[in-house]
Structure formats: C-alpha cells, structure tokens
Amino acid sequence: MPKGSSGVNNYIKNLLSGPNRDAPSIPIDSAQFQNLRTAEEIIQNKSVEYIVVFNNTAKEAEAAFKGNATSVGIPANVNLKGRTITHNHPNKNWGGTLSFADLSTFVSGRAASMRAVGRGREGGYIITATG
C-alpha cells in the first residue's frame, strides 16, 4: 500500500460505517413539517439538532427526531434509501456545513439527498445522489 493510503482507507471505511444510531433520538410529530421549506424554517434556529426524513418524492415527511446540541440519531428501523433528509446544525459558528456523520448517513443509507441548515453565516448545504 502506498504511504499515506491507510488514512484514506480509514476515511472510506468510516464513511460507509452507517448512520449514527447511538445519538439522542426523540421521535416528534412529522406532520408539522408540510414540506422541505417549512421544515427548514422551523428547525433552522433551534438550539438542538432536529432531523426530518422525507419520502422518495421529498413532498411528505415520514419521520422526525429531536437530538441534543451536538447530534441527532436516526433509529435503525427508519428507511433512508431514496429519501431526502434535512436537519439543522445549532452551532452559531459553523452553520449548515455537512459533517462527516452527515456524509456517512447519506452514503450508507443510500439517501437521495442530505441537507443541512444552520444558524451561522453559511446558510445551508445540500448533497444529492446522481445515480
């Protein structure tokens, strides 16, 4: 193996390891999230993380969970394949950037899209599957 490739291999291994199923995850009523825009307006300025999973057309919220100030988990029984996932990052300093855990959830869950909105100056970020 070339020098330095173990770091890349570990990164890929961790990326494929799956969603954070151990983080705090309190189910909340998903009916309040009528569409992506409404969901992101509701959760953007919250002081703890929220995650909302929309169906494969991204028009209906299927599940929603509340976490803590640094993370939110998704229970193992929640299907992410082909779904659009949006969540917030309550930290005022780094806003809506996608974290390593976000990318891991997106890739391993085979989601259609992962979105993050934040309180910070950055606004939001979106990653979308292309194939």
Side-chain angles (χ1 to χ4, degrees):
M1 219 176 259
K3 191 174 187 178
S5 64
S6 63
V8 171
N9 289 337
N10 285 336
Y11 178 81
I12 292 170
K13 180 180 175 185
N14 288 334
L15 190 60
L16 298 175
S17 67
N20 186 353
R21 305 290 190 181
D22 297 323
S25 179
I26 301 167
I28 59 173
D29 182 15
S30 62
Q32 65 184 305
F33 306 111
Q34 299 170 356
N35 55 52
L36 276 168
R37 182 178 178 174
T38 301
E40 291 174 348
E41 287 174 355
I42 291 170
I43 67 176
Q44 184 170 8
N45 292 308
K46 297 289 187 183
S47 60
V48 298
E49 285 199 29
Y50 286 79
I51 194 161
V52 184
V53 180
F54 282 83
N55 67 0
N56 59 359
T57 63
K59 295 186 189 262
E60 181 182 343
E62 293 182 330
F65 303 92
K66 177 181 177 180
N68 62 27
T70 59
S71 64
V72 60
I74 302 173
N77 66 334
V78 176
N79 181 14
L80 302 178
K81 185 177 180 182
R83 303 308 195 264
T84 295
I85 305 163
T86 190
H87 70 296
N88 68 312
H89 287 163
N91 185 309
K92 293 178 185 177
N93 298 317
W94 46 268
T97 57
L98 292 165
S99 69
F100 180 81
D102 297 340
L103 297 175
S104 179
T105 299
F106 171 72
V107 170
S108 64
R110 300 179 64 200
S113 179
M114 169 64 85
R115 302 163 63 99
V117 295
R119 297 168 74 179
R121 295 180 295 268
E122 296 176 55
Y125 288 80
I126 303 169
I127 188 169
T128 303
T130 59

